[in-house]
Amino acid sequence: MTPARRSNTLSSSLGLGEKLFASSDERRFAEAIEEGLERVEEGLLEAMSFADEIADVTSRYLLEAGGKRVRPVLTLLAAQLGEGNNDDVIAAAQSIEITHVASLYHDDVMDEAEMRRGVPTAQNVWGNSVAILTGDLLFARASRIGSTLGDRALALQAETFERLCLGQLHETIGPRVDDDPIEHYIQVLADKTGSLISAAAQVGVIFSNAPEEYRTAVAAFGERIGIAFQLIDDIIDLAGSGDDTGKTPGTDLRAGVATLPLLYLRRAAETDPEAAALLRRIELDTTSFGEVDEADLTAAIAELRAHPVTQQTLEEARRWSDSAVAALAPLPEGPVKKALTKFAETIVERSK
């Protein structure tokens, strides 16, 4: 797929195609996002290339597998509050996306994931050490690009990288005895997912030289929509996505990740015998060192998807999406605010 065709597909899949905009000015705005995505995509192929033959193959592996480019889209949308798609905005969007891809290599090792974007994960192809080192190489390349943008970029990147690591650490260790498991989980999502999406929106404001007061608004929007995004992923995980991702239903649960539907089920099980019975079936199969009853686990996951706790998770995702939109109040009325609002709506409506 050429960069132009990929860009059109990506923006349409996020609900940001030209049909969203009625006036000629708004159509030019949509075209600017498309043009910016094409430039980002072309630059990513170059930025993620290495002179070393092995590093070149492993580094571009997940990039070439696809992805929605959610973070560059947010950078470009926020940039329209200022000068638009200047060279610094494009470079910042590339740095953010490379950071995201780098984190996927590490996440898949931590989660022992088998598939990513419809292809075997890097550690399944080359082993854990190569996957980890590839992620490290990409973090270095993102930093190298960020260094060309000055101290503001480096400071934001360092802060974001720290939160990514803390989020992974807290997810790995789990909540302490006196922590509320659900609050702990939401904070993990804020750090692991929300922080980078927030940074993506912020660099759009910073490097387009938009008014500084807009930065706080888009930062809050990005973090909150990142939480909503991951909560919808929790729901999607229960259904699997077939050929689109290669995932089977309950991939996260099978890997021992306690997503929000399961956390809600644990809370419900304290007073509801039926919820307690379902919880036992899920946790027996996902934590057992013995042979898993695959049919029973698949049936239990289907029951969890149909259980009220999954609807409760959807309502929580919508609450975070609504809160994200509310954070946009300081922005001027116009195509940027309209597009970000539509973006938030699309996040909670997606099915993959």
Side-chain angles (χ1 to χ4, degrees):
M1 181 181 291
T2 65
R5 288 182 61 197
R6 175 179 285 183
S7 175
N8 287 328
T9 301
L10 292 171
S11 62
S12 295
S13 72
L14 292 170
L16 300 175
E18 291 185 23
K19 291 182 180 179
L20 177 62
F21 306 105
S23 70
S24 58
D25 284 346
E26 289 177 333
R27 285 194 293 274
R28 282 194 291 273
F29 167 85
E31 290 167 0
I33 303 302
E34 295 292 354
E35 182 270 340
L37 277 172
E38 291 169 23
R39 290 179 62 190
V40 169
E41 196 71 26
E42 290 168 355
L44 283 173
L45 291 171
E46 180 178 350
M48 294 174 70
S49 296
F50 288 82
D52 182 275
E53 182 178 350
I54 295 175
D56 189 58
V57 172
T58 62
S59 296
R60 288 188 287 109
Y61 179 67
L62 285 183
L63 176 73
E64 293 174 346
K68 288 185 171 65
R69 307 293 187 260
V70 169
R71 292 150 193 83
V73 168
L74 276 179
T75 298
L76 295 167
L77 287 175
Q80 309 314 307
L81 294 165
E83 298 170 0
N85 306 339
N86 61 38
D87 290 344
D88 285 352
V89 166
I90 299 300
Q94 291 164 355
S95 179
I96 290 287
E97 184 65 9
I98 293 171
T99 299
H100 169 59
V101 175
S103 73
L104 299 182
Y105 284 85
H106 286 188
D107 284 354
D108 287 342
V109 171
M110 296 288 294
D111 297 340
E112 299 181 352
E114 295 185 359
M115 301 290 291
R116 169 73 69 177
R117 295 176 173 176
V119 299
T121 51
Q123 77 267 20
N124 271 349
V125 179
W126 295 287
N128 285 351
S129 295
V130 171
I132 291 169
L133 290 168
T134 298
D136 292 344
L137 277 171
L138 291 176
F139 281 127
R141 183 56 55 90
S143 297
R144 184 173 171 181
I145 294 171
S147 70
T148 69
L149 299 172
D151 291 344
R152 290 183 300 174
L154 288 174
L156 181 58
Q157 184 176 40
E159 176 188 335
T160 304
F161 187 50
E162 180 178 310
R163 290 191 63 189
L164 290 173
C165 293
L166 285 171
Q168 185 64 65
L169 178 65
H170 291 153
E171 179 181 74
T172 301
I173 294 174
R176 294 172 297 185
V177 175
D178 56 345
D179 286 341
D180 179 280
I182 291 174
E183 290 180 4
H184 175 272
Y185 182 66
I186 295 296
Q187 186 59 53
V188 166
L189 300 189
D191 289 334
K192 279 192 63 176
T193 302
S195 65
L196 191 57
I197 293 179
S198 176
Q202 290 181 69
V203 295
V205 169
I206 293 169
F207 295 107
S208 70
N209 298 308
E212 181 65 23
E213 60 265 27
Y214 296 161
R215 181 177 175 181
T216 300
V218 301
F221 173 87
E223 179 149 333
R224 294 170 192 177
I225 208 62
I227 295 171
F229 185 94
Q230 192 58 56
L231 292 177
I232 294 298
D233 264 5
D234 288 354
I235 296 171
I236 293 171
D237 177 68
L238 296 179
S241 301
D243 293 337
D244 291 318
T245 64
K247 288 186 175 182
T248 55
T251 297
D252 288 339
L253 294 182
R254 294 166 192 267
V257 178
T259 58
L260 192 59
L262 184 64
L263 293 175
Y264 279 148
L265 186 67
R266 287 175 180 169
R267 179 173 287 180
E270 295 173 4
T271 56
D272 181 349
E274 290 185 5
L278 177 57
L279 180 64
R280 283 194 297 273
R281 288 169 60 201
I282 293 171
E283 294 194 328
L284 176 65
D285 277 336
T286 57
T287 62
S288 172
F289 290 102
E291 206 171 299
V292 172
D293 185 332
E294 187 61 36
D296 186 64
L297 178 56
T298 299
I301 290 170
E303 288 178 36
L304 178 59
R305 179 171 175 79
H307 196 279
V309 295
T310 298
Q311 178 62 34
Q312 190 179 355
T313 300
L314 178 59
E315 290 168 1
E316 180 69 0
R318 287 174 173 160
R319 188 179 74 80
W320 281 102
S321 176
D322 290 345
S323 178
V325 172
L328 299 175
L331 301 188
E333 297 299 325
V336 174
K337 196 171 187 177
K338 184 177 182 180
L340 289 172
T341 300
K342 178 61 177 176
F343 181 90
E345 293 171 355
T346 302
I347 287 297
V348 295
E349 291 168 0
R350 67 194 178 94
S351 59
K352 62 182 181 178

